[in-house]
Amino acid sequence: MTQKLSDDAHKELEGKLQHLVDIAFQNGLLAAIEAAREAKDPYLLDALHDVLVDRLYDELITRHTLEELK
C-alpha cells in the first residue's frame, strides 16, 4: 500500500520536479539526474523517473529534441 502525500508535500515535490525538468532542458538529462541523486531523496529520484517516462518523452519529441523511437 502506498502512502498518499499531504497537499503541502505534493506541492513541494511538484516544485522540486519542475526544477529538475528545467535543469534537464537547460543542461541535459544527466545533469537533472545528478541533481536528483544529490538530493539524497529516493522518492524524488523515482518521481523524476516517472516524469521522464510519462511526460518528458512526449515533450522532447514535440520540441524535436529527441527522435521518436519506432
Side-chain angles (χ1 to χ4, degrees):
M1 179 176 189
T2 20
Q3 183 178 5
K4 185 173 169 135
L5 294 175
S6 70
D7 287 341
D8 288 340
H10 182 74
K11 286 178 186 176
E12 182 180 344
L13 177 63
E14 286 295 319
K16 288 177 181 179
L17 283 172
Q18 184 58 54
H19 177 69
L20 292 171
V21 169
D22 292 343
I23 289 173
F25 278 109
Q26 294 170 6
N27 303 325
L29 291 174
L30 292 178
I33 293 166
E34 184 60 30
R37 285 182 179 158
E38 287 174 0
K40 298 191 185 322
D41 181 350
Y43 190 80
L44 179 62
L45 186 59
D46 183 55
L48 176 62
H49 173 263
D50 292 346
V51 168
L52 294 175
V53 170
D54 295 341
R55 298 189 308 210
L56 193 56
Y57 175 79
D58 292 333
E59 182 65 25
L60 289 170
I61 297 299
T62 301
R63 292 184 184 204
H64 304 288
T65 304
L66 185 67
E67 189 173 316
E68 186 172 9
L69 297 174
K70 306 273 178 183

